[in-house]
Amino acid sequence: MVSKPHIVVIGGGSTGTGIVRDLAMRGVEVTLLEQGNLTHGTTGRMHGLLHSGGRYAVADQASAKECMLENRVLQDIATHCVEMTGGLFVKRPEDSEEYFQKKLQGCHECDIPAEVLTAEEARAVEPHLAGDIDKAISVPDGAIDPFRLVVANAADAKEHDARIETHSTVTDLLIEDDAVVGVEVKHDSGTGERVHGMTGVTERIYADHVINATGAWAGHIGEMAGVDIAVRPSKGVMTVMNTRQVDTVINRCRPKGDADIVVPHETTAILGTTDVEVDDPEDYPEKQWEVNLMIDTLSELVPMLTDARTIRSFWGVRPLYEPPEVGSDDPTDITRDFFLLDHQERDNLHGLTSIVGGKLTTYRMMAEQITDHICERFGIEEPCRTADEPLPGSNDIRVIDDYMDEFGLRSPIGRRSADRLGSRVDEVLDTDEPNPTICECEGVTRAEVQDAISQSGSDLNAVRIRTRATMGNCQGGICSHRLANELHTTYDESVVIDAWNEILQERWKGQRHALWGQQLSQAMLNYALHATTQNRDHDPAADSSVDFTTFDSGEMQSDSGTTAVGVATDGGTQDGDRV
């Protein structure tokens, strides 16, 4: 047996952090490398569905069975990440009765608890369903917070001595004698917690084995090693509503198609999705018609969506994998199962294994299988414990109730804090310091924000994924400057300004396809608050050539007569400054 081999895992989504947790718990030395924040890729751009397997019960029963198994596991080990909302597959008059019966039979064949509800019974569960629906099938779908889940896996891995590096891009694989022996990685902000403005450093990390868990980017890593990984990235749009129009996952009971699911998620509802194959997971078109399709089509199930407020839209890329010999033309035909690619067996390239395909619900199972594979290779006999040991913060819901009593947290804000923190409530909220609410939309307090900063440094987007601050109705308009203010005692002014700029830009990016009605008014209010009142567009005091007499007119002229500042309307930059 090799004594404590060193494994490098590339990819900080659900699968990558799941693998790192499993390896670290088995006593393996392990390093995780992620090019952005944790959840930077597909994991952070999904609709938050905890699958019962019902969506695959007709066409992909192997995946359906895996989903139901892991659904139950995650309810046990990640209680602070999961809300068991239940799910309905709803049939409209124009939908096929034959398919409805196939769905019901498929659920039974896959051991997915399923029950037929009449239209009246379905509307008793969800009063806002359309009045002309025929019936529905109830299944144990749920909602899961992918950000909280991934952070919990990474935190547990660190507790078991794993090294976690975010904002660290693998630029090359190190190959010697037909074997991958390590990676070359550029740390965009140095090592450790991210600090804005630091010059990046390049590091060579040698390892006994490298695991490629980069999802839709797996082919790019394969190219560095000269091996072909036939990932077929498929983009899908998700549209976020300002409130929960439904409290149950609503699925359209019909064969594959666009715009067929509504997922209640935290304080919002997320509409999804499309399925369009793309060439590059980093570069693909985001079209307004896709957003319109979500509203128009899903309003057939939930009519009130027609007039509801949309606060943002975002696109994710699925890491679909199909063995080359299959050759499906339609990405919706590709299995949602996962594949372990042993490049030693497949390509005669030692030291590299890739895991591709799959979905968030089965991330832990994927991690267990590839960790078993690595442990067998290195003669490690430690069993997997990830299905039995709860993630940090997870606990019996009764423990949360006890904490609520202990701290007198009976307000909605206190309830949400306790739900997010789980068993860490005592650790985070037991403070003698003032603990005001920083983000009213999501009920995030200063204690939670400071706890997140202690984990993620000056990166406010990392704070966001830990707390949900800026993810509510105002999309950071009311709270992003408060978040930046929480950095000022630890970080220099330039670092704070950069962090503030970055989170404003990230929040704006998803709103460009929702600028109508009340959301347009909210966007203009945010602009007035940050670009005008707080001078985020331009600071005239920093430019002695500015004619201040024209400042109030909204257009300032420099001595040369050129416009010094205006309004950036494309979500990009204006005169070099972020909006």
Side-chain angles (χ1 to χ4, degrees):
M1 169 180 170
V2 175
S3 177
K4 205 172 184 179
H6 179 211
I7 311 298
V8 166
V9 178
I10 310 172
S14 57
T15 305
T17 55
I19 293 168
V20 171
R21 181 195 185 214
D22 200 341
L23 285 167
M25 288 175 68
R26 300 197 209 190
V28 178
E29 182 183 354
V30 59
T31 298
L32 175 75
L33 302 172
E34 165 55 51
Q35 65 177 331
N37 267 320
L38 296 175
T39 76
H40 169 79
T42 302
T43 297
R45 296 178 170 273
M46 51 91 71
H47 45 43
L49 174 65
L50 178 63
H51 284 274
S52 65
R55 286 177 70 81
Y56 308 123
V58 176
D60 194 352
Q61 291 197 341
S63 292
K65 293 174 182 177
E66 291 171 352
C67 285
M68 191 64 253
L69 289 172
E70 289 301 297
N71 176 304
R72 294 188 176 106
V73 170
L74 290 174
Q75 289 184 58
D76 289 337
I77 70 166
T79 56
H80 68 315
C81 305
V82 171
E83 179 187 359
M84 288 311 298
T85 62
L88 295 176
F89 280 89
V90 178
K91 179 184 178 299
R92 286 191 49 80
E94 62 269 28
D95 296 335
S96 164
E97 174 66 23
E98 179 184 5
Y99 185 78
F100 185 92
Q101 295 301 327
K102 285 183 177 179
K103 179 72 73 176
L104 182 62
Q105 180 182 351
C107 287
H108 293 324
E109 291 171 351
C110 296
D111 295 324
I112 300 168
E115 179 185 359
V116 176
L117 304 182
T118 66
E120 292 73 21
E121 289 171 333
R123 277 191 292 273
V125 175
E126 278 302 334
H128 296 299
L129 286 175
D132 60 346
I133 65 168
D134 286 345
K135 52 187 174 180
I137 301 170
S138 68
V139 295
D141 283 337
I144 189 164
D145 188 320
F147 307 111
R148 202 176 302 161
L149 180 72
V150 167
V151 168
N153 274 277
D156 203 28
K158 287 186 71 172
E159 287 295 317
H160 289 86
D161 298 323
R163 177 186 176 189
I164 309 291
E165 292 287 351
T166 58
H167 302 281
S168 299
T169 303
V170 172
T171 56
D172 202 2
L173 297 182
L174 307 179
I175 301 175
E176 298 176 3
D177 300 324
D178 295 324
V180 175
V181 297
V183 298
E184 182 178 88
V185 57
K186 181 181 179 183
H187 302 290
D188 288 341
S189 298
T191 58
E193 295 177 351
R194 186 179 184 197
V195 177
H196 294 251
M198 283 185 63
T199 302
V201 296
T202 298
E203 179 184 9
R204 286 192 161 199
I205 302 175
Y206 288 90
D208 297 293
H209 203 90
V210 174
I211 297 174
N212 175 12
T214 55
W217 288 259
H220 295 345
I221 299 298
E223 289 174 2
M224 295 178 186
V227 297
D228 181 41
I229 303 173
V231 175
R232 293 173 59 175
S234 173
K235 73 166 181 174
V237 66
M238 272 68 66
T239 297
V240 185
M241 312 308 291
N242 71 316
T243 61
R244 286 169 64 129
Q245 284 76 20
V246 295
D247 290 313
T248 307
V249 175
I250 304 299
N251 304 269
R252 183 77 173 262
C253 192
R254 64 181 183 187
K256 61 187 181 183
D258 293 333
D260 63 357
I261 189 169
V262 184
V263 182
H265 184 71
E266 298 282 344
T267 59
T268 66
I270 300 179
L271 317 185
T273 178
T274 47
D275 202 344
V276 180
E277 194 162 349
V278 297
D279 295 327
D280 188 339
E282 292 277 9
D283 185 17
Y284 51 86
E286 299 177 351
K287 298 294 186 180
Q288 184 67 50
W289 69 262
E290 297 175 277
V291 177
N292 297 342
L293 178 68
M294 296 302 107
I295 305 294
D296 295 343
T297 304
L298 285 163
S299 294
E300 297 173 3
L301 295 181
V302 185
M304 69 184 303
L305 291 174
T306 300
D307 299 317
R309 178 177 158 200
T310 302
I311 59 174
R312 69 185 295 111
S313 292
F314 60 92
W315 280 255
V317 181
R318 303 172 187 85
L320 303 183
Y321 179 82
E322 183 176 68
E325 64 272 13
V326 177
S328 297
D329 294 328
D330 187 339
T332 60
D333 289 333
I334 300 175
T335 179
R336 269 44 177 176
D337 204 353
F338 61 89
F339 298 84
L340 190 155
L341 307 181
D342 183 333
H343 295 289
Q344 178 175 325
E345 295 179 0
R346 199 190 75 154
D347 304 298
N348 198 31
L349 178 68
H350 297 251
L352 179 67
T353 301
S354 297
I355 187 142
V356 290
K359 61 196 71 64
L360 182 135
T361 300
T362 58
Y363 89 93
R364 194 214 59 83
M365 179 184 287
M366 296 167 66
E368 179 178 353
Q369 288 197 16
I370 198 166
T371 303
D372 285 346
H373 172 77
I374 295 299
C375 288
E376 181 180 358
R377 174 155 292 177
F378 287 97
I380 298 170
E381 297 181 355
E382 285 292 322
C384 177
R385 307 195 308 276
T386 59
D388 303 311
E389 296 192 12
L391 288 161
S394 186
N395 47 255
D396 189 300
I397 192 65
R398 290 169 297 183
V399 177
I400 290 181
D401 290 334
D402 291 342
Y403 282 126
M404 295 286 285
D405 290 332
E406 179 180 345
F407 293 109
L409 298 174
R410 287 298 166 191
S411 70
I413 289 174
R415 178 83 236 182
R416 290 189 55 74
S417 293
D419 286 343
R420 278 191 296 264
L421 294 167
S423 59
R424 298 185 63 243
V425 170
D426 195 2
E427 174 187 342
V428 176
L429 297 185
D430 188 8
T431 174
D432 294 328
E433 298 296 321
N435 191 24
T437 302
I438 301 297
C439 170
E440 285 96 343
C441 294
E442 294 296 319
V444 182
T445 64
R446 171 174 288 164
E448 284 186 82
V449 170
Q450 287 296 337
D451 176 63
I453 290 171
S454 72
Q455 301 173 51
S456 55
S458 62
D459 190 338
L460 291 180
N461 275 305
V463 172
R464 171 181 61 84
I465 70 174
R466 285 163 169 80
T467 65
R468 288 189 60 82
T470 76
M471 294 178 71
N473 276 342
C474 78
Q475 291 290 288
I478 307 300
C479 66
S480 58
H481 62 289
R482 298 175 183 171
L483 288 177
N485 184 62
E486 294 300 310
L487 297 174
H488 85 278
T489 57
T490 305
Y491 297 97
D492 293 339
E493 179 183 353
S494 61
V495 173
V496 176
I497 294 297
D498 283 347
W500 185 9
N501 279 338
E502 187 174 77
I503 197 163
L504 280 173
Q505 184 67 9
E506 174 61 29
R507 293 292 83 196
W508 166 248
K509 185 170 62 178
Q511 297 177 60
R512 291 172 293 175
H513 299 279
L515 294 181
W516 61 76
Q518 292 182 346
Q519 186 56 27
L520 178 58
S521 299
Q522 179 68 60
M524 290 304 296
L525 174 61
N526 289 354
Y527 178 81
L529 287 171
H530 291 276
T532 305
T533 305
Q534 299 180 34
N535 284 340
R536 305 306 299 135
D537 243 10
H538 187 76
D539 182 3
D543 185 353
S544 60
S545 68
V546 171
D547 178 3
F548 294 106
T549 62
T550 60
F551 180 59
D552 290 337
S553 69
E555 183 175 278
M556 295 179 287
Q557 303 292 323
S558 66
D559 290 341
S560 63
T562 58
T563 300
V565 66
V567 179
T569 59
D570 63 353
T573 59
Q574 179 71 28
D575 294 328
D577 293 326
R578 290 188 181 97
V579 176

